[in-house]
Amino acid sequence: MDFIGNEKKAEPKKIKKAPLFSKLFDAGSQKMESLLLVILGIIFFVGLWGHLLPITRSLMLLFTPYLLLVGGLVVFALTVREQGKALFFWALLTFVITFALEAIGVATGAIFGDYRYGPVLGTHIFGVPPIIGFNWVLVVLGFSRLVRGTFRIRYAPIGALLTALLCVLFDYILEPLAIRLDYWTWTGGDIPLKNYASWFLISLGAALPTWFFKKEPTSLLVQGYILIQAVFFILLRVGLALGGLILF
């Protein structure tokens, strides 16, 4: 009641509506994740045929670094939103370390072997395209979350070991394609065994800390994205082999 005896009318409560953007890009939304992975799968499927057809291959190679950057950033941003600061700082450290190792490797040949990056993956810094460090982050993170979330491996050393083996398998699938498409080249043409040994050790060291994140991962985006890449490289390798353009 007010001073003159008139009753004040209660103001209706305002219901705050979540912005459409927030709803659409909610990292916990399975529908959004499924939609995004379908879109990425379609893009990579189109890219597969674009790589297999000689008339469009150069155009696909031109788009390669931009697709990897944009697709990777979207997936990574939504994954960080779910996982929090620990994942961001892990990713930053992993990027810096792997990029530095790549730069040392290109300059000296002491880590992976004697190799050089071609122009396909974009601008070089110290002889290395920055997208390489970013893809190291996504590959290790994708397989570590696959091992931890899908395979339910909770013991950190075993999980990191399996992650490292999957990363080496990923590189094994990619290597002949990378040479054929001029991502990078090896002096003498042969892929040295220490390349795979270094992949294993670096992946092992990078994967181990991911088992100590306090927040349990639920998003399937990053592992789905890396599996799309893996399937893309497998199908492209088979397709080019059937066309007589690359040897297994």
Side-chain angles (χ1 to χ4, degrees):
M1 299 292 289
D2 61 13
F3 290 109
I4 60 175
N6 294 327
E7 186 177 355
K8 289 184 177 180
K9 294 182 180 180
E11 294 183 1
K13 293 182 178 180
K14 294 181 180 180
I15 300 175
K16 294 182 179 180
K17 295 182 178 179
L20 178 61
F21 183 85
S22 178
K23 288 182 179 180
L24 182 60
F25 289 94
D26 178 7
S29 169
Q30 293 184 352
K31 290 183 179 180
M32 182 281 298
E33 290 183 1
S34 299
L35 176 60
L36 182 55
L37 288 174
V38 167
I39 292 172
L40 289 170
I42 291 172
I43 292 173
F44 273 87
F45 182 75
V46 172
L48 172 65
W49 285 102
H51 279 79
L52 290 174
L53 298 173
I55 194 172
T56 56
R57 186 175 302 141
S58 59
L59 182 62
M60 293 298 102
L61 293 176
L62 181 65
F63 287 152
T64 294
Y66 305 105
L67 172 62
L68 292 175
L69 179 62
V70 174
L73 282 175
V74 171
V75 168
F76 178 70
L78 294 175
T79 305
V80 167
R81 180 178 175 180
E82 180 221 27
Q83 194 73 49
K85 293 180 181 179
L87 174 58
F88 177 80
F89 288 116
W90 169 86
L92 181 61
L93 183 61
T94 300
F95 173 86
V96 171
I97 291 174
T98 54
F99 184 84
L101 289 173
E102 289 277 358
I104 294 170
V106 167
T108 66
I111 298 176
F112 301 97
D114 194 1
Y115 68 110
R116 295 291 181 273
Y117 281 101
V120 174
L121 296 178
T123 303
H124 295 185
I125 300 177
F126 300 115
V128 181
I131 194 68
I132 288 295
F134 186 41
N135 220 48
W136 264 104
V137 171
L138 293 175
V139 170
V140 173
L141 182 61
F143 284 125
S144 69
R145 286 169 72 100
L146 180 70
V147 170
R148 182 177 177 179
T150 304
F151 299 164
R152 303 293 180 184
I153 304 298
R154 303 302 184 191
Y155 185 55
I158 299 299
L161 179 65
L162 290 176
T163 299
L165 290 174
L166 287 172
C167 290
V168 171
L169 178 61
F170 182 88
D171 183 60
Y172 175 78
I173 294 168
L174 174 59
E175 282 291 345
L177 289 171
I179 297 169
R180 173 66 180 86
L181 300 175
D182 202 23
Y183 289 6
W184 58 78
T185 55
W186 296 94
T187 301
D190 294 327
I191 305 167
L193 287 177
K194 73 175 179 178
N195 168 65
Y196 299 114
S198 295
W199 258 84
F200 177 80
L201 293 174
I202 295 169
S203 301
L204 181 68
L208 190 59
T210 65
W211 260 261
F212 298 97
F213 293 157
K214 291 182 179 180
K215 189 173 181 181
E216 191 70 18
T218 58
S219 172
L220 301 175
L221 273 177
V222 68
Q223 53 266 53
Y225 177 62
I226 291 303
L227 288 176
I228 288 173
Q229 281 196 25
V231 171
F232 168 81
F233 290 130
I234 290 171
L235 293 178
L236 181 57
R237 187 167 169 177
V238 170
L240 291 175
L242 292 176
L245 299 176
I246 192 169
L247 296 177
F248 279 67

